Each structure stands twice: as C-alpha cells, then as structure tokens.
Amino acid sequence: MGRSNRIAVSILTLIILVCLGSYWTYMAQTIGKNQQQLLMSDIVAAQASAIERRLSRSLSATDILVQEVIQQGGEFERFDLYADAVLRTIGGVSNLQLAPNGIISRIYPLAGNEKAIGHNLLKDDKRRHEAINAIKERRLTLAGPFKLVQGGIAVIGRNPVFLNRDGTEQFWGFASALIFLEDLLQATELDQLETKGYSFELSRIDPQSGQASVFARSTSDLNDSLHSVTIPVPNASWTLSMSSIKTGPDWLALFGYSFSIVLAALAAWILNFILRQPDKLRAIVKQKTLELEELAFYDHLTGLANRRLLNEQLTQKVREAVRYKKNIAFLYLDLDDFKRINDSIGHDAGDQLLKQISLRLNSVVRGSDLVARLGGDEFGILLLDSESINDISRIAKKLIVAVSEPVSIYDQEFIVSPSIGITMIPADGDAASDILKHADMAMYSAKNAGKRNYRFYDKALQQQALERIHIEHDLDDALNNDQFVLHYQPLVDLSCDRVMGYEALVRWQHPTDGLLFPDRFIGVAEDAGKIIDIGYWVIREACNTLHQQMSEHGRSQHIAVNLSPRQFADPNLLENIRAIVQQTQVDTRLLEVEITESTLMENIDTAIYTLEQLQQMGIKVSIDDFGTGYSSLAVLKRLPVDTLKIDRSFVILLETDLDDRKIVGGLMSMAHALDIKVIAEGIETSGQLQLLRDLGCDYGQGYLFSKPVPLEQLEQPVIIPPDQPQSAAAASDN
C-alpha cells in the first residue's frame, strides 16, 4: 500500500472513529437529558397536585357554608362562630363571606375587610362575570388571581346558594372564600426547589383578553428545557411550568469529544470495537429508560405502585367503568397507631414493617388488582371487576386479618391493624380526585368506629362531617354553660349483695338535641383537644358529690371516674387532681380512677410512676376493659393497681362460650394471685351473675342491677339470688 493510500486509510479511520466517539458522547448526553426530563415531569406533577389539593380543600369551605345556609333557610345568625370553626378545621382560607342577593353582608374575620361590606358582586365588582356565570351554571366559580387593595394577591371562590321556596329553586346569594396566593403556594415545595436551581411560572388564560397571564414566578427566568402541567380549577385552568437553571459548559461532553479524537489517533485496530458501540449504547438507553420508568411509577421502598401510577390507572379505570358499566372498588388503607410503633422502634425498623405489610396486601388481592403505597403508612388498592358488595367486604376482612398478624422485626413482634375506607366506582364518583376524597372520608369513619375496621362511603359521611363541626362548636358552650351531667351506675359486692360504690358516667344535656351519650361527643372532644377539660370537670363533679353525701348523711360510698388517654398523658394531671381534692375536701380513699389497659401500655414506665403517685394520695386505681389489650402477668405485677375490670365482651358469652369462661376464670386467678380485686362489667342476666359468683368474682356492674341514672334517682338495686333466674334488658352502658 502506497503512502497516499496509507494516509487516506488513516484519515478515513480517524473520521470514522471521531464520528463514532461523537455519537457515543451524544447518546450519553441523551441519557442524561432523559433522566432530567423524567425527574422534571415528576417534580412538576407533584407540585401541581399539591396546588390542586390545597385549592380544592380550601374551596370546600364554601360547600360547607352553602349547606348551612340551606339548612337554616337563609338565616345564618351564628355565622362568625360557625365560620371560625370552618376556618380552623379546613385551613388555608383568609376569610369567609356571605353575600345575600350578591351584596356582601357578612365577613369573617371582619378586621381589615370592613370596606368590602355592602359591595355588590353583580354590579360593582370588576369580576362580576364570574359571579354571573356561577348563577347561570349553578356551580362554584373562581375569580382571580388579582391584586388586593390591602396588598397581596388572592383568588376568591364564589359558590351560589339556591333555596327551595314554594317548590321552586330561588337564588339566595353567594358563599365565598378568599384565599391568598401566598398561602396556596405554601402547600408546595416551590421555594425549596428554587434554592436548588429550579425556576417556575404559574399562569392562567385571562378570561377577558384570552391571553396567557403569569401571576406567580421565581426570581430566575425559565429556559427552553421547561416542563408544564395543567391544573384544573373551577371555570378555568392554570398552568405550572418549571425548568432547571442551566449550568456552565458541559465539561463531560467536551472531554468526550476530545477523547474521541485522541482515541482515533491511537490505532486503526480498535475500529471494529468502536463500530459495535452504537448497538451497545442503544441497549444502555433502553435499560436506563426502563429504570427511570421504574423510579417514576413505583415506590422505592416497597416496590408497589406509587401515587402517580395509581392516579393514572384510577382515571383510566373510571372511564372504562362508566363506558362498559363495570363495577370497580377502591380501598384506602391506613395503619392504626403506626406512628407510635415507628417512633418506638426507629424508622429503619418501621421501613421493614412497611415492606412486610406490602407483601401481605399483595398476597390477598388478585394479580390483576393494583396495590399502591400513597405515602407514609397509607395504601390504595384498586379492585377490578368486583362482583358484589359481599365480595368486596370479604376481601376487606381478609386484608384486616392479614395485616393484623404479628410482624417479627429484629427478634421482636409488633402488631398493627388497618382501617379501610371503600368507594364504589362509578357510583361514588366519576373523577379520581372524588374517589380518593370519598375513600379517605370512609377510612376516617372506620378509624373513628374503633379502628381495625372497614367502612363503605355513603353521602351520610358528608352530613357526619357537618355534624362533627356542630358538636365541636357546641362543646365550648357545654363547658361554659354547665351542660354536662353525671349519671351513676352501682358497683355491687357479689359476696354480700350490697352496693359498694358507683361509676360516674358523663352525659351532655344539649339545649336542642336533648340528652347525648358519650358516643356522640367524646370522639370529637378527643380530636378537638377538649377532652382534658371535660375529664377534670367529671373529677370535680364526682368529688362534689362525695362531699355532699358526707355532709348530708355522714357517710359516702366510693365513686370511680374514667381517665381518657389524653388526660392520663397530661403533664399537669397529678397537680390538678391534688388541687381538686383539696378544694372539695373529700376523703381520697373514696375516689377511684379507671384507666384502660391500652392506655397504660403506651408508656409503661411513665404509667407506673403516675399510678404510684395517685395511690400515695389515697386514690384507688382500676384497669378498665382488661383482657382486650396486650398485658401479661409480667407487666401486670409491676402495675400498682387495686382492681381489674373484665371487659363486657367476655361477660356476654359466659353462658354459651366455654373458652370465654376459661379466659375469665384465668384472669380472675391471675388477679387474685397478685391480691387484686376483680369487677365484671356488663352483667345482664342472672345466669351470668351465677357463673361469675362461681368463678370467684369480687364485684359486678351492669343492667341486671341498674342502668346509669342521675344521683337523685339511685335506689338500692335488686340483687338476683344465685338460685332465682331473671333476665335484664339491653347491653351495659359504659
């Protein structure tokens, strides 16, 4: 081969190798760009979803106001108190407004908004076309964002109210909610993302000009690598666009091109190796794309589908259910008390627990069903082609059983249970957001019903939410106006058939709803943080009763009061009880406190210290609902208690269930071995009474002797002799 040919071959080899090296560098850049695009897509979707959820939650305040206006026939006398409760419950709303006939007449809070009173939304307002559209379309409309006179940018949702008068729907006015844009954006991570090099713009189509209008943006501008997501809002849509700030020169690319030139000059024998690189690079791109899709749609901890994939599947399956008239069910599952376990065993162990729970969920459902982790300890399950309500209930029960099995982590066993909310598709909604919201409401209904339970969504849950707001608001009046009363149920000494004391049970004499039992308000009081004040009222009233009996009769039988879990954890518990007994001047030996077994197990060392301090005051201590928790003989012998109350669930089946009879007998033997007295609650029949006497039970309580009644109605209960059969009514009231 001549010199010119060698030069030609060398040049040709150099050109080929340089081209291939450049192609390799380009493909590497493409992989990086694909990663960045998928990451940007996930980030933008997450921030848009956060804005949509916060706006939807905030605007739901207008739905609640509309319902209240309709229920009160257009007269809303306690608007300020009700609006305050709604604002505290929902959050993210600056103020709430009522505008009868379109004229603003009520604003809460009023301070700083006085100039808006008397403003006619249908005539004077620059955004009156949104208000007019709300009336025409009979639905919520959103005005703004716009600048406020007092400063700041806000949006306002106007919800029209129609009242049924003489058989026709008549426009009453508007219920409105003002939401500051700043408060809305606080639900996102846009500020933090900006510090990490991301830019954003939030825009909408101006309804007047039809042009895009930016109303929120980062300090740095977007670049050409932006990614946008549309956010649906009432009567409009917003667009969130984001991009990452461009950095300096791509030194990796420069290195790649330089290296290609150097490599090409080394030798022509590597040409064959270089020619195969494109095929290898294509395989790498394909593999990387699959890995990125895995990151985008699946939870990294459990391997389950994530919220993004669930939303996509849910939207698709809802359309199919409507089109083909198929039955689909969605289950929203939350682990009861997971936070307490996670905090006690550490987050690494908590992650191991979540992995095991995920495997159990997948083992119960079919392969065609979708199980997703929504975040934390929340899971979603999409059941396809559900045959019936009974079939779905059966699956829910199997899920509860599977999840509730002990979980072994680091040679320790832990028990968690699920609360499940169920929505039927499309009966309970034809949008993914509605399905998730309704399932969430049903899940909280199951949790409030006692956990380890499931509930189907129905429209009554919305009414229950309104009722909870009413109850929470009225609880303040109940405490301030002395509306609570105590009823007393006798505790009977089974060895001599004499009343040895009473249990004090709280009732609410509501001014309009009559006498309310604890199941109507205790749960709300717990959530609202008012249970502690109610608990101290009960203790004080019981002590006043003891003092009154001593003053009038020169003697008194002891009274037992219940301590809620939150009150037992109150750091001021001992100090407050000391103050009450000193003020009422009662003999502390006549006072007894009852604490549930599960409450004591929350923090056993702290519980022991508190119980010892109570006993040092002379107050007796009783464990309530014993047998339903996780106490063992080793734990029980450490607890400074005087009596155990066997849960009524064991007493009910004494006559028919031999196993329950053995359990009760074992509990009594264990207690007596530790010199602890035993009380059986929920005694309803003479047969139960006789069996308890045979088992050596010390004391009894239940409808067989007396229902809980006011103090002035108490009479000596009729004790059923062992050989005289008699039945009692209904279940015991505790």
Side-chain angles (χ1 to χ4, degrees), residues 312-328 382 384-385 425-426 430:
E312 291 187 3
Q313 289 293 310
L314 194 55
T315 300
Q316 176 184 341
K317 296 305 179 183
V318 167
R319 287 197 296 264
E320 292 178 2
V322 173
R323 180 180 303 171
Y324 301 113
K325 298 181 179 180
K326 297 169 58 178
N327 291 323
I328 300 175
L382 193 59
L384 306 177
D385 299 321
I425 304 172
D430 55 7

PDB file of all heavy atoms in Angstrom, residues 312-328 382 384-385 425-426 430:
ATOM      1  N   GLU A 312     -53.070   7.624  37.515  1.00  0.00           N
ATOM      2  CA  GLU A 312     -53.247   7.357  36.086  1.00  0.00           C
ATOM      3  C   GLU A 312     -54.175   6.165  35.869  1.00  0.00           C
ATOM      4  O   GLU A 312     -55.096   6.208  35.037  1.00  0.00           O
ATOM      5  CB  GLU A 312     -51.885   7.118  35.431  1.00  0.00           C
ATOM      6  CG  GLU A 312     -51.014   8.366  35.355  1.00  0.00           C
ATOM      7  CD  GLU A 312     -49.751   8.132  34.545  1.00  0.00           C
ATOM      8  OE1 GLU A 312     -49.603   7.010  34.000  1.00  0.00           O
ATOM      9  OE2 GLU A 312     -48.926   9.058  34.444  1.00  0.00           O
ATOM     10  N   GLN A 313     -53.927   5.077  36.631  1.00  0.00           N
ATOM     11  CA  GLN A 313     -54.767   3.891  36.489  1.00  0.00           C
ATOM     12  C   GLN A 313     -56.207   4.163  36.934  1.00  0.00           C
ATOM     13  O   GLN A 313     -57.159   3.694  36.312  1.00  0.00           O
ATOM     14  CB  GLN A 313     -54.173   2.746  37.309  1.00  0.00           C
ATOM     15  CG  GLN A 313     -52.891   2.168  36.739  1.00  0.00           C
ATOM     16  CD  GLN A 313     -53.136   1.449  35.423  1.00  0.00           C
ATOM     17  OE1 GLN A 313     -54.025   0.609  35.319  1.00  0.00           O
ATOM     18  NE2 GLN A 313     -52.372   1.808  34.400  1.00  0.00           N
ATOM     19  N   LEU A 314     -56.343   4.937  38.005  1.00  0.00           N
ATOM     20  CA  LEU A 314     -57.675   5.242  38.527  1.00  0.00           C
ATOM     21  C   LEU A 314     -58.475   6.045  37.512  1.00  0.00           C
ATOM     22  O   LEU A 314     -59.657   5.770  37.271  1.00  0.00           O
ATOM     23  CB  LEU A 314     -57.548   6.002  39.844  1.00  0.00           C
ATOM     24  CG  LEU A 314     -58.804   6.125  40.714  1.00  0.00           C
ATOM     25  CD1 LEU A 314     -59.393   4.762  41.026  1.00  0.00           C
ATOM     26  CD2 LEU A 314     -58.469   6.854  42.013  1.00  0.00           C
ATOM     27  N   THR A 315     -57.831   7.039  36.895  1.00  0.00           N
ATOM     28  CA  THR A 315     -58.512   7.846  35.878  1.00  0.00           C
ATOM     29  C   THR A 315     -58.950   6.980  34.703  1.00  0.00           C
ATOM     30  O   THR A 315     -60.076   7.101  34.204  1.00  0.00           O
ATOM     31  CB  THR A 315     -57.580   8.966  35.394  1.00  0.00           C
ATOM     32  OG1 THR A 315     -57.218   9.796  36.503  1.00  0.00           O
ATOM     33  CG2 THR A 315     -58.267   9.815  34.340  1.00  0.00           C
ATOM     34  N   GLN A 316     -58.063   6.083  34.262  1.00  0.00           N
ATOM     35  CA  GLN A 316     -58.391   5.206  33.131  1.00  0.00           C
ATOM     36  C   GLN A 316     -59.514   4.231  33.485  1.00  0.00           C
ATOM     37  O   GLN A 316     -60.463   4.047  32.703  1.00  0.00           O
ATOM     38  CB  GLN A 316     -57.139   4.439  32.706  1.00  0.00           C
ATOM     39  CG  GLN A 316     -57.387   3.424  31.592  1.00  0.00           C
ATOM     40  CD  GLN A 316     -56.140   2.616  31.280  1.00  0.00           C
ATOM     41  OE1 GLN A 316     -55.025   3.010  31.609  1.00  0.00           O
ATOM     42  NE2 GLN A 316     -56.327   1.469  30.647  1.00  0.00           N
ATOM     43  N   LYS A 317     -59.431   3.618  34.675  1.00  0.00           N
ATOM     44  CA  LYS A 317     -60.426   2.616  35.055  1.00  0.00           C
ATOM     45  C   LYS A 317     -61.799   3.244  35.321  1.00  0.00           C
ATOM     46  O   LYS A 317     -62.824   2.596  35.110  1.00  0.00           O
ATOM     47  CB  LYS A 317     -59.950   1.855  36.292  1.00  0.00           C
ATOM     48  CG  LYS A 317     -58.669   1.050  36.058  1.00  0.00           C
ATOM     49  CD  LYS A 317     -58.806   0.087  34.889  1.00  0.00           C
ATOM     50  CE  LYS A 317     -57.510  -0.683  34.661  1.00  0.00           C
ATOM     51  NZ  LYS A 317     -57.629  -1.584  33.470  1.00  0.00           N
ATOM     52  N   VAL A 318     -61.821   4.493  35.784  1.00  0.00           N
ATOM     53  CA  VAL A 318     -63.110   5.172  35.976  1.00  0.00           C
ATOM     54  C   VAL A 318     -63.804   5.350  34.628  1.00  0.00           C
ATOM     55  O   VAL A 318     -65.016   5.120  34.496  1.00  0.00           O
ATOM     56  CB  VAL A 318     -62.903   6.530  36.676  1.00  0.00           C
ATOM     57  CG1 VAL A 318     -64.171   7.369  36.587  1.00  0.00           C
ATOM     58  CG2 VAL A 318     -62.524   6.322  38.134  1.00  0.00           C
ATOM     59  N   ARG A 319     -63.032   5.773  33.604  1.00  0.00           N
ATOM     60  CA  ARG A 319     -63.627   5.924  32.266  1.00  0.00           C
ATOM     61  C   ARG A 319     -64.157   4.588  31.748  1.00  0.00           C
ATOM     62  O   ARG A 319     -65.248   4.523  31.162  1.00  0.00           O
ATOM     63  CB  ARG A 319     -62.587   6.495  31.302  1.00  0.00           C
ATOM     64  CG  ARG A 319     -62.283   7.961  31.513  1.00  0.00           C
ATOM     65  CD  ARG A 319     -61.596   8.556  30.295  1.00  0.00           C
ATOM     66  NE  ARG A 319     -60.304   7.954  30.057  1.00  0.00           N
ATOM     67  CZ  ARG A 319     -59.147   8.464  30.465  1.00  0.00           C
ATOM     68  NH1 ARG A 319     -59.147   9.598  31.155  1.00  0.00           N
ATOM     69  NH2 ARG A 319     -58.015   7.866  30.214  1.00  0.00           N
ATOM     70  N   GLU A 320     -63.395   3.511  31.955  1.00  0.00           N
ATOM     71  CA  GLU A 320     -63.834   2.195  31.495  1.00  0.00           C
ATOM     72  C   GLU A 320     -65.081   1.729  32.249  1.00  0.00           C
ATOM     73  O   GLU A 320     -65.984   1.126  31.660  1.00  0.00           O
ATOM     74  CB  GLU A 320     -62.708   1.181  31.687  1.00  0.00           C
ATOM     75  CG  GLU A 320     -61.514   1.416  30.782  1.00  0.00           C
ATOM     76  CD  GLU A 320     -60.403   0.410  31.030  1.00  0.00           C
ATOM     77  OE1 GLU A 320     -60.609  -0.490  31.881  1.00  0.00           O
ATOM     78  OE2 GLU A 320     -59.345   0.513  30.379  1.00  0.00           O
ATOM     79  N   ALA A 321     -65.132   2.024  33.545  1.00  0.00           N
ATOM     80  CA  ALA A 321     -66.292   1.614  34.340  1.00  0.00           C
ATOM     81  C   ALA A 321     -67.560   2.298  33.855  1.00  0.00           C
ATOM     82  O   ALA A 321     -68.634   1.698  33.788  1.00  0.00           O
ATOM     83  CB  ALA A 321     -66.052   1.926  35.815  1.00  0.00           C
ATOM     84  N   VAL A 322     -67.435   3.588  33.521  1.00  0.00           N
ATOM     85  CA  VAL A 322     -68.599   4.332  33.022  1.00  0.00           C
ATOM     86  C   VAL A 322     -69.004   3.823  31.642  1.00  0.00           C
ATOM     87  O   VAL A 322     -70.187   3.621  31.357  1.00  0.00           O
ATOM     88  CB  VAL A 322     -68.287   5.840  32.982  1.00  0.00           C
ATOM     89  CG1 VAL A 322     -69.420   6.599  32.316  1.00  0.00           C
ATOM     90  CG2 VAL A 322     -68.042   6.367  34.387  1.00  0.00           C
ATOM     91  N   ARG A 323     -68.012   3.596  30.776  1.00  0.00           N
ATOM     92  CA  ARG A 323     -68.317   3.219  29.394  1.00  0.00           C
ATOM     93  C   ARG A 323     -68.886   1.801  29.299  1.00  0.00           C
ATOM     94  O   ARG A 323     -69.871   1.563  28.599  1.00  0.00           O
ATOM     95  CB  ARG A 323     -67.046   3.321  28.553  1.00  0.00           C
ATOM     96  CG  ARG A 323     -67.249   2.941  27.086  1.00  0.00           C
ATOM     97  CD  ARG A 323     -65.942   3.061  26.321  1.00  0.00           C
ATOM     98  NE  ARG A 323     -65.383   4.399  26.412  1.00  0.00           N
ATOM     99  CZ  ARG A 323     -64.163   4.718  25.970  1.00  0.00           C
ATOM    100  NH1 ARG A 323     -63.388   3.794  25.424  1.00  0.00           N
ATOM    101  NH2 ARG A 323     -63.724   5.948  26.096  1.00  0.00           N
ATOM    102  N   TYR A 324     -68.274   0.872  30.037  1.00  0.00           N
ATOM    103  CA  TYR A 324     -68.668  -0.533  29.899  1.00  0.00           C
ATOM    104  C   TYR A 324     -69.545  -1.030  31.052  1.00  0.00           C
ATOM    105  O   TYR A 324     -69.823  -2.223  31.155  1.00  0.00           O
ATOM    106  CB  TYR A 324     -67.418  -1.407  29.799  1.00  0.00           C
ATOM    107  CG  TYR A 324     -66.532  -1.042  28.633  1.00  0.00           C
ATOM    108  CD1 TYR A 324     -65.277  -0.493  28.854  1.00  0.00           C
ATOM    109  CD2 TYR A 324     -66.961  -1.220  27.317  1.00  0.00           C
ATOM    110  CE1 TYR A 324     -64.443  -0.145  27.789  1.00  0.00           C
ATOM    111  CE2 TYR A 324     -66.140  -0.874  26.249  1.00  0.00           C
ATOM    112  CZ  TYR A 324     -64.887  -0.339  26.490  1.00  0.00           C
ATOM    113  OH  TYR A 324     -64.076   0.008  25.442  1.00  0.00           O
ATOM    114  N   LYS A 325     -69.957  -0.110  31.942  1.00  0.00           N
ATOM    115  CA  LYS A 325     -70.839  -0.439  33.068  1.00  0.00           C
ATOM    116  C   LYS A 325     -70.243  -1.562  33.925  1.00  0.00           C
ATOM    117  O   LYS A 325     -70.894  -2.544  34.268  1.00  0.00           O
ATOM    118  CB  LYS A 325     -72.231  -0.819  32.573  1.00  0.00           C
ATOM    119  CG  LYS A 325     -72.942   0.304  31.838  1.00  0.00           C
ATOM    120  CD  LYS A 325     -74.328  -0.093  31.384  1.00  0.00           C
ATOM    121  CE  LYS A 325     -75.022   1.050  30.674  1.00  0.00           C
ATOM    122  NZ  LYS A 325     -76.382   0.682  30.210  1.00  0.00           N
ATOM    123  N   LYS A 326     -68.977  -1.388  34.272  1.00  0.00           N
ATOM    124  CA  LYS A 326     -68.275  -2.356  35.118  1.00  0.00           C
ATOM    125  C   LYS A 326     -68.269  -1.857  36.564  1.00  0.00           C
ATOM    126  O   LYS A 326     -68.341  -0.654  36.815  1.00  0.00           O
ATOM    127  CB  LYS A 326     -66.838  -2.532  34.628  1.00  0.00           C
ATOM    128  CG  LYS A 326     -66.729  -3.096  33.228  1.00  0.00           C
ATOM    129  CD  LYS A 326     -65.303  -3.001  32.698  1.00  0.00           C
ATOM    130  CE  LYS A 326     -64.308  -3.724  33.567  1.00  0.00           C
ATOM    131  NZ  LYS A 326     -62.936  -3.656  33.007  1.00  0.00           N
ATOM    132  N   ASN A 327     -68.178  -2.780  37.500  1.00  0.00           N
ATOM    133  CA  ASN A 327     -68.086  -2.432  38.922  1.00  0.00           C
ATOM    134  C   ASN A 327     -66.630  -2.515  39.369  1.00  0.00           C
ATOM    135  O   ASN A 327     -65.980  -3.548  39.216  1.00  0.00           O
ATOM    136  CB  ASN A 327     -68.938  -3.374  39.774  1.00  0.00           C
ATOM    137  CG  ASN A 327     -70.421  -3.162  39.547  1.00  0.00           C
ATOM    138  OD1 ASN A 327     -70.859  -2.037  39.371  1.00  0.00           O
ATOM    139  ND2 ASN A 327     -71.178  -4.240  39.543  1.00  0.00           N
ATOM    140  N   ILE A 328     -66.133  -1.415  39.897  1.00  0.00           N
ATOM    141  CA  ILE A 328     -64.758  -1.344  40.399  1.00  0.00           C
ATOM    142  C   ILE A 328     -64.809  -0.779  41.811  1.00  0.00           C
ATOM    143  O   ILE A 328     -65.653   0.070  42.117  1.00  0.00           O
ATOM    144  CB  ILE A 328     -63.879  -0.453  39.496  1.00  0.00           C
ATOM    145  CG1 ILE A 328     -63.836  -1.015  38.071  1.00  0.00           C
ATOM    146  CG2 ILE A 328     -62.473  -0.323  40.049  1.00  0.00           C
ATOM    147  CD1 ILE A 328     -63.101  -0.135  37.093  1.00  0.00           C
ATOM    148  N   LEU A 382     -56.842  -0.991  44.176  1.00  0.00           N
ATOM    149  CA  LEU A 382     -57.854  -0.893  43.123  1.00  0.00           C
ATOM    150  C   LEU A 382     -58.301  -2.301  42.760  1.00  0.00           C
ATOM    151  O   LEU A 382     -57.523  -3.088  42.203  1.00  0.00           O
ATOM    152  CB  LEU A 382     -57.264  -0.170  41.910  1.00  0.00           C
ATOM    153  CG  LEU A 382     -58.228   0.303  40.833  1.00  0.00           C
ATOM    154  CD1 LEU A 382     -59.267   1.265  41.406  1.00  0.00           C
ATOM    155  CD2 LEU A 382     -57.462   0.973  39.698  1.00  0.00           C
ATOM    156  N   LEU A 384     -60.463  -4.634  40.545  1.00  0.00           N
ATOM    157  CA  LEU A 384     -61.121  -4.609  39.239  1.00  0.00           C
ATOM    158  C   LEU A 384     -62.160  -5.725  39.144  1.00  0.00           C
ATOM    159  O   LEU A 384     -61.999  -6.799  39.714  1.00  0.00           O
ATOM    160  CB  LEU A 384     -60.085  -4.768  38.133  1.00  0.00           C
ATOM    161  CG  LEU A 384     -58.926  -3.755  38.171  1.00  0.00           C
ATOM    162  CD1 LEU A 384     -57.919  -4.062  37.081  1.00  0.00           C
ATOM    163  CD2 LEU A 384     -59.443  -2.342  38.044  1.00  0.00           C
ATOM    164  N   ASP A 385     -63.237  -5.450  38.412  1.00  0.00           N
ATOM    165  CA  ASP A 385     -64.301  -6.446  38.186  1.00  0.00           C
ATOM    166  C   ASP A 385     -64.837  -7.013  39.493  1.00  0.00           C
ATOM    167  O   ASP A 385     -64.944  -8.228  39.680  1.00  0.00           O
ATOM    168  CB  ASP A 385     -63.793  -7.591  37.302  1.00  0.00           C
ATOM    169  CG  ASP A 385     -63.365  -7.092  35.929  1.00  0.00           C
ATOM    170  OD1 ASP A 385     -64.058  -6.198  35.395  1.00  0.00           O
ATOM    171  OD2 ASP A 385     -62.354  -7.563  35.407  1.00  0.00           O
ATOM    172  N   ILE A 425     -66.951   2.454  42.295  1.00  0.00           N
ATOM    173  CA  ILE A 425     -66.787   3.210  41.054  1.00  0.00           C
ATOM    174  C   ILE A 425     -67.713   2.598  39.989  1.00  0.00           C
ATOM    175  O   ILE A 425     -67.709   1.382  39.795  1.00  0.00           O
ATOM    176  CB  ILE A 425     -65.327   3.142  40.573  1.00  0.00           C
ATOM    177  CG1 ILE A 425     -64.380   3.642  41.681  1.00  0.00           C
ATOM    178  CG2 ILE A 425     -65.140   3.941  39.301  1.00  0.00           C
ATOM    179  CD1 ILE A 425     -62.914   3.424  41.375  1.00  0.00           C
ATOM    180  N   PRO A 426     -68.537   3.441  39.310  1.00  0.00           N
ATOM    181  CA  PRO A 426     -68.599   4.907  39.355  1.00  0.00           C
ATOM    182  C   PRO A 426     -69.675   5.458  40.301  1.00  0.00           C
ATOM    183  O   PRO A 426     -69.956   6.650  40.262  1.00  0.00           O
ATOM    184  CB  PRO A 426     -68.933   5.269  37.923  1.00  0.00           C
ATOM    185  CG  PRO A 426     -69.822   4.132  37.476  1.00  0.00           C
ATOM    186  CD  PRO A 426     -69.318   2.891  38.175  1.00  0.00           C
ATOM    187  N   ASP A 430     -67.071   9.996  39.581  1.00  0.00           N
ATOM    188  CA  ASP A 430     -66.529   9.688  38.259  1.00  0.00           C
ATOM    189  C   ASP A 430     -65.240  10.453  37.989  1.00  0.00           C
ATOM    190  O   ASP A 430     -64.844  10.643  36.843  1.00  0.00           O
ATOM    191  CB  ASP A 430     -67.559   9.997  37.171  1.00  0.00           C
ATOM    192  CG  ASP A 430     -68.064  11.432  37.243  1.00  0.00           C
ATOM    193  OD1 ASP A 430     -67.525  12.216  38.054  1.00  0.00           O
ATOM    194  OD2 ASP A 430     -68.991  11.768  36.489  1.00  0.00           O
TER     195      ASP A 430
END
